């Protein structure tokens, strides 16, 4: 089946993209309003874009038809936020923070989360997250009405000591983090419990094995 995305309603476009582009990592974004109210919300339109400088991207959709999400407003106003990663233990708390609470409600308190001050940005981080990245906005592009794509530099990283296998070589125990990922609609998620390894081939070994060259 083929779809002309330009002719479809918004909800259908979301279904096609959200169901096919899976699993998606979840950025549990903590930010501050202009008045200093802390906010936390999950965003799975998220990924790493580069390492020089280290960059990440977030996709913040419109809140209904009429306004931006609180996270988008906060990031555009303050230029700073923290991406916290979500493990299985924090799944339910993460879900509480995606309620459609009014802007003045502290969703961090609703989810009974422990927060800690960040080192270089004003918004706090989630103290018990397996990893947190303090970010400053490089570009915030309005890609549609009240829809914002944010590209940000990661200024400071926190990785819980429990997941550091070798501090010198920077071996991090990713499977032990038990991170959640977002799947298709209706609240589906995946765990990282079906892993396999595939070595990247070199041209020399690949062509020698086939008697080429
Ligand atoms: C796992 C998960 C991932 C989500 N990903 C996104 C996303 O990438 N972009 C988005 O606009 N909303 C996303 N949402 C919905 C927002 O979290 C939700 O609208 C939230 O209320 C926004 O909060 P805020 O207004 O405090 O920023 C996601 C929700 C969940 C549960």
């Amino acid at each position: 089946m083929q779809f002309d995305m330009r002719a479809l309603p918004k909800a259908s476009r979301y279904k096609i993209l959200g169901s096919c582009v899976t699993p998606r990592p979840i950025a549990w974004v903590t930010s501050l309003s202009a008045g200093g109210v802390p906010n936390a919300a999950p965003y799975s339109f998220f990924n790493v874009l580069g390492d020089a400088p280290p960059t990440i991207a977030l996709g913040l959709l419109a809140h209904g038809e009429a306004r931006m999400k609180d996270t988008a407003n906060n990031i555009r106003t303050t230029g700073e936020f923290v991406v916290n990663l979500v493990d299985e233990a924090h799944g339910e708390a993460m879900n509480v923070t995606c309620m459609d609470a009014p802007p003045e409600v502290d969703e961090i308190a609703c989810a009974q989360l422990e927060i800690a001050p960040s080192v270089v940005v004003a918004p706090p981080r989630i103290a018990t997250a397996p990893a947190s990245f303090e970010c400053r906005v490089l570009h915030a592009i309005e890609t549609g009405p009240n829809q914002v794509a944010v590209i940000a530099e990661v200024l400071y990283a926190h990785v819980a000591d429990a997941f550091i296998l070798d501090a010198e070589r920077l071996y991090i125990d990713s499977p032990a983090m038990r991170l959640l990922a977002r799947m298709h609609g209706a609240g589906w998620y995946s765990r990282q419990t079906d892993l396999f390894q595939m070595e990247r081939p070199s041209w020399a070994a690949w062509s020698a094995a086939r008697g080429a060259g």
Side-chain angles (χ1 to χ4, degrees), residues 14 24-27 31 39-46 58-63 67-72 74 94-95 97-101 107 181-182 188-189:
Y14 177 87
R24 299 187 299 280
I26 302 170
S31 59
N39 184 68
Y43 284 86
S44 69
F45 293 168
F46 157 60
L58 291 178
L60 308 137
L61 309 182
H63 186 282
R67 68 171 177 93
M68 282 189 192
K69 297 200 178 181
D70 297 338
T71 301
N74 292 353
M94 179 275 295
N95 212 18
T97 64
C98 85
M99 285 190 297
D100 51 350
E107 287 159 334
R182 184 79 168 99
W188 282 99
Y189 294 86

Side-chain angles (χ1 to χ4, degrees), residues 1 4 6 17 28 32 56-57 116 118 162-163 174 202 206:
M1 201 164 169
D4 184 346
R6 297 164 296 181
L17 291 174
W28 201 5
L32 286 177
I56 58 107
S118 293
F163 305 116
S174 311
S202 71
W206 192 86

